[in-house]
């Protein structure tokens, strides 16, 4: 009886240990994309005028609703 319990406990430890192993990513797989910083962005933040375009896009997106509201209130009825 004790030997079965000891065998089961040692088996459980090895199975639990095996569950944490990972395999090396297959880079030839069509479902694996490059990993690392800046690889998951749809734009390149390292271009020369990126920050000017970025802040311009943010300002336009923030200011557009206010500009539309002013235009709607100033237009003729």
């Amino acid at each position: 009886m004790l030997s079965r319990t000891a065998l089961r406990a040692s088996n459980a430890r090895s199975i639990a240990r095996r569950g944490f192993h990972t395999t090396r990513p297959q880079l030839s797989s069509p479902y694996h994309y490059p990993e690392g910083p800046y690889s998951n962005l749809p734009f390149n933040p390292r271009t020369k005028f990126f920050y000017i375009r970025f802040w311009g896009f943010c300002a336009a997106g923030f200011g557009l609703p206010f500009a539309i509201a002013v235009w709607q209130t100033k237009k003729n009825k």
Side-chain angles (χ1 to χ4, degrees):
M1 186 93 163
L2 287 177
S3 63
R4 281 188 190 169
T5 307
L7 181 62
R8 199 175 311 142
S10 68
N11 245 355
R13 261 186 267 141
S14 67
I15 290 171
R17 224 179 308 133
R18 285 178 46 200
F20 289 109
H21 288 258
T22 58
T23 58
R24 188 176 66 82
Q26 298 292 329
L27 297 178
S28 62
S29 169
Y31 302 108
H32 183 76
Y33 298 100
E35 296 176 3
Y38 304 113
S39 66
N40 60 344
L41 299 176
F43 48 83
N44 186 7
R46 294 183 178 160
T47 58
K48 190 173 185 180
F49 296 107
F50 169 73
Y51 294 104
I52 294 170
R53 287 185 283 142
F54 174 76
W55 285 110
F57 181 79
C58 290
F62 183 78
L64 191 62
F66 296 104
I68 291 171
V70 168
W71 179 69
Q72 289 288 335
T73 56
K74 297 287 184 180
K75 73 178 186 178
N76 294 334
K77 294 181 181 179

